[in-house]
Amino acid sequence: MSRPSDYDDGSGAPAAVTSPDLGFTGWMRWFWRQLTSMRVALILLLLLAVAAIPGSLVPQRGADPNGVIQYEKDNPTLFKILDAFPIQAFDVYGSVWFSAIYLLLFISLIGCVLPRIKHHWNAWRGTPPKTPARLNRMAGFSEIRVTNEDATEEERLAFAHAAVESAASMLRRQRYRAEIQEATHRGVSEVSVSSERGYLRETGNLLFHVALVGVLVCVGLGSAFTFNGQRVLYEGESFVNQLIDYDSANAGRAFRSDTLEPFSLRLDDLEVNYITPDDADASPNSIGQVREFIASMTLTDPQGNESAEEIRVNHPLRVHNSPIYLLANGYAPTIVVRNAADEIVFEESVVFIPQGADPNLTSLGVVKVLNGLTDDSGEATQLGLRGFFYPTQTKLESGAYTSNYPDLENPVLTLDAFAGDLGVDDGVPQSVYSLETGKMEQLTGRAIEKPSIELRPGESADLPNGLGTVSFEAVPRYASFDVMQNPFQIGILIFALLSLGGLIWSLFVPRRRLWVKAIPTADGVLLQYAGLARGDDPSLDRAVEDLREAHRDAL
């Protein structure tokens, strides 16, 4: 008689163990099971968070194109390495590897959720599970013995059925799905009710995962169609909601500029309410702190209709589904520069940026005059002015100026002058808030021990080298606004709320099963009660006890 090839005859020689050949289908099935496992989903979620870190370490083309150009200029060799495929360090969120992690996480969630939806649907439509043969192994097990020695076997069986019917009615009123079952155990007929509730726990869990997929979809589509623009307005200035009119803007790959609604906004007044010494609730440490910012605006819709609007911090103005936020504020001194022939070559309200966390708004600003100036020798030159503005100027013991109050109590403007080449023709974009002085000669300032130009509103002063004059005309306020457009932001909000609701739902809805069994005995009927929970359910024992007591009262 032939024996199988792997038969062990006891000789001690180990039989070779070989794995079955999975083949292409088997390997794909194995890969799919790994990808849709909870462990891999958590790993991908962690990888997505880690993959986003490089985007905060180097400038990104979508958010800071000028920063990318400057980085290439400063680090040409390293730039080529970081920008090469597949690193794509300057386009992290659109890179191949970031997109691969995002898509794998997306597929993993879908592959995990779909089978669970099918299983949950079948369980929802199915019947409660069969009553266990031994309820004494379950939680909250207890018994009630009903004795009646004079009852016949048929009467005891009829009582058992009536008792189970009564228990089933009570469970259905408590929103359990109940089914009466009959069985024979060790030759004894038993009748029981098997009940179950808490399917909404799994429904909430699935809702959480489905909503999470919805969030991922909306975030992905939103990043492609989003628009985010920033504009600084000083009092009396207007802007139109068109791409060319923004100071800076970021847009998704699929964004089209013709989707911007052509409304316009004018900043009429920026009211800032400070805590003053005359306020009843003022304390020495709170004087000068801001109570409220109120930007009074005039909105003009595409039909030309004007309306008065207000924007406050955390209370944006919503225009055609585009929220407009008030971000920052400060002062924009109006500076006029005239050449030696008394011709105006520069006239503008210049935005001065508050320095650091100074609550008293000591601010730094830059003026760049490109044309129209000649020095004493008749050579054309460019002028740069770098200055500090002090709303309420005071002098420290060191002699340096500072501001000790944010409102205009003693406004002073100091300017350091530079002449030469501003570097605007080098092909590298410059910030309007910084001054490149590498190719310029400093004319005033501490560095060359020449006094800075000092002006108060309405005053003017001569520029060095016969360049002309500079005057300080007025001090309007400015405000920085952020305009957003994301057609999928409502979807993100809805799915985020659904995800949160599903999570709370799954945490607070218990999934439990309860059983009541009636076993006819020689002298009566034995009633047994027990329960089982899926997961932690500290109130299960109490639920079984309440059922037993209510059932005993009903009987």
Side-chain angles (χ1 to χ4, degrees):
M1 187 174 181
S2 61
R3 294 172 176 170
S5 59
D6 60 349
Y7 174 74
D8 185 4
D9 58 2
S11 61
V17 178
T18 58
S19 300
D21 186 12
L22 293 178
F24 177 77
T25 304
W27 279 111
M28 292 301 295
R29 184 183 296 112
W30 177 87
F31 176 77
W32 177 254
R33 287 176 179 174
Q34 295 300 315
L35 179 62
T36 56
S37 65
M38 182 62 67
R39 177 184 60 185
V40 172
L42 292 175
I43 292 175
L44 289 172
L45 193 60
L46 178 62
L47 282 177
L48 192 68
V50 174
I53 294 177
S56 61
L57 299 179
V58 295
Q60 300 295 296
R61 284 192 173 89
D64 187 12
N66 294 337
V68 175
I69 296 174
Q70 187 64 43
Y71 193 96
E72 182 180 11
K73 180 181 178 181
D74 298 339
N75 307 279
T77 303
L78 182 60
F79 178 85
K80 293 180 180 179
I81 297 174
L82 295 178
D83 196 41
F85 181 85
I87 300 178
Q88 301 171 285
F90 301 97
D91 193 14
V92 168
Y93 307 111
S95 63
V96 173
W97 50 273
F98 189 88
S99 300
I101 297 173
Y102 188 90
L103 290 175
L104 284 175
L105 177 60
F106 184 73
I107 295 171
S108 177
L109 285 174
I110 293 179
C112 177
V113 168
L114 289 180
R116 290 179 59 183
I117 292 177
K118 180 181 178 182
H119 177 76
H120 181 56
W121 175 252
N122 292 334
W124 190 289
R125 297 179 61 193
T127 59
K130 184 179 178 181
T131 304
R134 297 181 178 179
L135 291 180
N136 56 354
R137 298 179 178 179
M138 302 300 169
F141 174 76
S142 60
E143 294 179 335
I144 295 177
R145 186 176 296 273
V146 180
T147 60
N148 186 355
E149 297 179 355
D150 298 331
T152 64
E153 182 177 350
E154 290 77 8
E155 291 173 336
R156 289 195 295 269
L157 186 59
F159 178 81
H161 277 277
V164 169
E165 287 283 358
S166 174
S169 298
M170 296 176 61
L171 289 167
R172 291 189 182 104
R173 286 196 297 269
Q174 297 178 25
R175 298 189 302 277
Y176 283 86
R177 288 194 309 160
E179 182 185 47
I180 297 176
Q181 302 173 354
E182 295 186 18
T184 301
H185 181 62
R186 295 182 180 180
V188 178
S189 296
E190 300 175 348
V191 58
S192 63
V193 55
S194 177
S195 64
E196 187 173 20
R197 80 171 185 184
Y199 286 95
L200 293 181
R201 181 187 184 96
E202 181 65 10
T203 303
N205 200 344
L206 291 174
L207 177 62
F208 167 76
H209 286 86
V210 171
L212 191 59
V213 173
V215 169
L216 289 177
V217 172
C218 289
V219 168
L221 293 176
S223 64
F225 290 91
T226 189
F227 170 79
N228 185 250
Q230 297 77 38
R231 178 61 194 264
V232 174
L233 296 177
Y234 54 84
E235 291 173 327
E237 189 182 17
S238 302
F239 91 102
V240 179
N241 185 36
Q242 293 298 312
L243 197 59
I244 195 173
D245 216 15
Y246 282 95
D247 296 326
S248 61
N250 303 317
R253 296 176 182 270
F255 170 76
R256 301 195 325 271
S257 59
D258 58 2
T259 61
L260 292 174
E261 291 285 344
F263 64 84
S264 68
L265 275 176
R266 182 177 70 245
L267 176 61
D268 298 321
D269 178 65
L270 179 63
E271 180 183 352
V272 183
N273 297 321
Y274 296 104
I275 297 177
T276 66
D278 298 332
D279 294 333
D281 57 347
S283 64
N285 294 330
S286 66
I287 294 175
Q289 293 182 2
V290 177
R291 290 185 184 274
E292 190 175 24
F293 298 100
I294 304 174
S296 299
M297 316 290 295
T298 296
L299 170 67
T300 305
D301 63 20
Q303 289 73 37
N305 301 317
E306 292 187 352
S307 60
E309 307 287 348
E310 284 189 352
I311 304 178
R312 304 167 185 258
V313 177
N314 296 327
H315 292 80
L317 171 65
R318 299 188 181 275
V319 183
H320 301 287
N321 296 323
S322 295
I324 304 173
Y325 294 90
L326 174 62
L327 296 183
N329 75 99
Y331 294 100
T334 302
I335 299 174
V336 178
V337 177
R338 293 177 172 84
N339 60 16
D342 203 31
E343 298 171 339
I344 295 177
V345 293
F346 181 91
E347 183 177 13
E348 190 174 326
S349 294
V350 181
V351 172
F352 275 59
I353 306 299
Q355 295 302 289
D358 185 3
N360 296 315
L361 298 183
T362 300
S363 307
L364 173 66
V366 168
V367 174
K368 299 179 183 181
V369 183
L370 304 180
N371 302 301
L373 293 176
T374 56
D375 57 20
D376 291 333
S377 62
E379 293 289 333
T381 186
Q382 295 177 337
L383 175 69
L385 299 174
R386 183 168 59 200
F388 281 92
F389 177 70
Y390 310 94
T392 303
Q393 179 262 340
T394 187
K395 184 181 292 187
L396 301 175
E397 294 182 359
S398 62
Y401 286 172
T402 187
S403 176
N404 61 3
Y405 191 71
D407 211 355
L408 296 176
E409 299 294 336
N410 182 31
V412 171
L413 175 66
T414 61
L415 298 169
D416 289 341
F418 297 80
D421 184 5
L422 288 169
V424 295
D425 300 325
D426 294 344
V428 179
Q430 292 184 7
S431 170
V432 296
Y433 305 114
S434 65
L435 187 65
E436 298 290 339
T437 60
K439 299 179 181 179
M440 306 190 78
E441 176 189 1
Q442 185 169 358
L443 305 179
T444 63
R446 285 189 175 185
I448 59 173
E449 297 182 352
K450 290 186 178 181
S452 299
I453 300 172
E454 183 174 324
L455 299 170
R456 285 177 169 78
E459 296 182 348
S460 63
D462 292 332
L463 293 169
N465 295 353
L467 294 174
T469 61
V470 57
S471 59
F472 180 16
E473 301 292 336
V475 196
R477 281 186 174 272
Y478 75 85
S480 174
F481 297 93
D482 186 86
V483 182
M484 299 180 63
Q485 178 175 302
N486 186 344
F488 294 92
Q489 62 181 353
I490 299 299
I492 294 175
L493 175 62
I494 292 174
F495 282 117
L497 292 176
L498 287 176
S499 177
L500 180 61
L503 182 61
I504 296 175
W505 197 340
S506 65
L507 291 176
F508 290 96
V509 175
R511 177 78 179 273
R512 61 171 61 143
R513 295 169 179 170
L514 294 181
W515 294 280
V516 178
K517 181 186 291 187
I519 306 173
T521 61
D523 59 350
V525 176
L526 179 64
L527 299 175
Q528 295 182 338
Y529 305 84
L532 179 66
R534 176 174 291 184
D536 187 23
D537 187 356
S539 62
L540 179 61
D541 290 345
R542 180 61 181 271
V544 176
E545 180 182 350
D546 291 343
L547 173 63
R548 184 195 66 207
E549 296 302 321
H551 190 222
R552 176 160 54 187
D553 294 342
L555 292 178

